[in-house]
Amino acid sequence: MKPFQPERGRVLFAYLLLIVEEVALLFMPAIMGLTVDRLLAGDQSGLYLLAGGVIAILVSGALRRFYDTRVFAAAELRLAEGIALGPSPAGIRVARLRQVHELVQTYERSVPEALSALVAGAGSLAISVWYDWRVGAAALVVALILLGIDRIYARRMNRLNRSLNDRTDQDLDVLRSGDAERVRSHLEAWRRLRVARSDSEIGVYAVNWLFLLVMILGVLVLIAQPDATPGTVFAQMSYVLAFAASWERLPVFTERLAQARDVTRRLASTASAPSNPREGVGGD
């Protein structure tokens, strides 16, 4: 949050609105399960509760997006102006402007997605324990395993994003050199780093889902009992699937967080860099 200190209160309020929306979404499977059981018993009152919940979620979601778009657009304008009018060499400023946009996108899109996943995952886990403690225990074990895998993945993402940002800082100098071999080598390094980052994400995503698939199959055996009502089975399975789906976004968020940390460090070093008196004479 360091780059967003002037907007800190507004950014945190936008995240709070998101959490409220996600908590409301968390209760939807339970409401749907209750509605199914009531309909099977000839009672349609659950339909009104379901319709009201959906409308409330849609309205709150629209208002939140209306608000946070304006907050982050203003933050990006402030950061970009500080970089564009700063004392750093032109090549560094061009690179930082691109990185500022990526940084704002991380906090505007990736962080809310991660918060949504966190609320969905933790909430689904808690409600699963309420339905059946064995289901909650299985989910908790898988969560601890996946968090361990993510720590390994995060270290690799830190290295790859640092190398990619180093390349970004060199873009303008490489293009100005007019050396075809140097340009080709620079772009080839870009390609290798991006492929390595993508391959790492695909790998951790596949490993995560192997563990989640084993959990889902085991949980299905536990909850599909002869005495269980259809609505209860539906609600339990919905929460298990919501817990599994919440981990889909973790690899992407880990990569974006690694990028945000490195960009924040570079922005801080740029802001403290001394002015280059020769810049602007022939460099711009």
Side-chain angles (χ1 to χ4, degrees):
M1 290 292 293
K2 287 182 180 179
F4 300 97
Q5 285 301 323
E7 299 86 10
R8 185 183 181 86
R10 283 171 288 169
V11 169
L12 291 177
F13 182 68
Y15 291 161
L16 178 62
L17 292 177
L18 173 71
I19 291 172
V20 171
E21 180 185 347
E22 289 300 321
V23 169
L25 279 169
L26 192 61
F27 287 100
M28 290 306 295
I31 293 174
M32 293 174 71
L34 178 64
T35 301
V36 169
D37 285 342
R38 285 187 180 183
L39 285 173
L40 292 175
D43 181 1
Q44 297 185 351
S45 61
L47 292 173
Y48 301 108
L49 181 61
L50 180 61
V54 171
I55 291 172
I57 289 169
L58 289 174
V59 171
S60 63
L63 291 175
R64 176 183 63 80
R65 289 167 176 80
F66 181 87
Y67 175 78
D68 67 13
T69 297
R70 284 156 178 76
V71 170
F72 285 105
E76 183 170 355
L77 174 62
R78 177 183 59 79
L79 289 168
E81 282 184 338
I83 295 298
L85 302 176
S88 300
I92 297 297
R93 278 183 280 150
V94 170
R96 294 292 178 268
L97 285 175
R98 183 192 303 176
Q99 291 162 357
V100 160
H101 178 71
E102 293 180 358
L103 179 68
V104 173
Q105 288 294 298
T106 295
Y107 282 88
E108 183 178 359
R109 301 185 185 278
S110 300
V111 171
E113 287 178 358
L115 283 174
S116 297
L118 178 62
V119 173
S124 298
L125 177 61
I127 296 174
S128 294
V129 171
W130 181 76
Y131 274 111
D132 188 330
W133 71 269
R134 298 171 300 173
V135 173
L140 181 59
V141 169
V142 170
L144 293 175
I145 293 172
L146 297 188
L147 285 174
I149 294 171
D150 183 69
R151 291 304 84 207
I152 299 171
Y153 174 67
R155 287 195 291 270
R156 178 164 175 77
M157 286 300 101
N158 286 333
R159 292 194 299 270
L160 289 173
N161 276 305
R162 187 163 54 248
S163 297
L164 278 165
N165 288 331
D166 286 342
R167 287 288 162 185
T168 300
D169 287 352
Q170 299 168 20
D171 280 350
L172 190 59
D173 287 341
V174 171
L175 292 176
R176 279 176 170 171
S177 71
D179 186 331
E181 186 58 35
R182 185 182 176 191
V183 170
R184 188 178 299 109
S185 175
H186 179 72
L187 296 177
E188 176 60 23
W190 254 105
R191 184 194 67 80
R192 288 197 305 270
L193 289 167
R194 292 189 64 184
V195 168
R197 189 173 64 178
S198 177
D199 288 350
S200 298
E201 182 181 327
I202 293 169
V204 76
Y205 180 85
V207 171
N208 284 357
W209 266 104
L210 285 175
F211 282 101
L212 291 168
L213 178 60
V214 171
M215 182 201 70
I216 290 170
L217 294 177
V219 165
L220 191 56
V221 172
L222 287 175
I223 67 177
Q225 300 299 319
D227 59 339
T229 66
T232 301
V233 172
F234 170 82
Q236 282 187 275
M237 204 61 210
S238 295
Y239 283 116
V240 169
L241 292 175
F243 172 81
S246 69
W247 292 92
E248 285 186 356
R249 290 172 260 188
L250 182 62
V252 174
F253 176 68
T254 298
E255 184 272 314
R256 298 308 302 164
L257 186 60
Q259 171 73 347
R261 285 171 175 163
D262 189 63
V263 169
T264 298
R265 178 180 62 80
R266 290 168 192 268
L267 291 178
S269 65
T270 300
S272 61
S275 176
N276 182 355
R278 299 183 62 184
E279 183 67 31
V281 176
D284 257 336

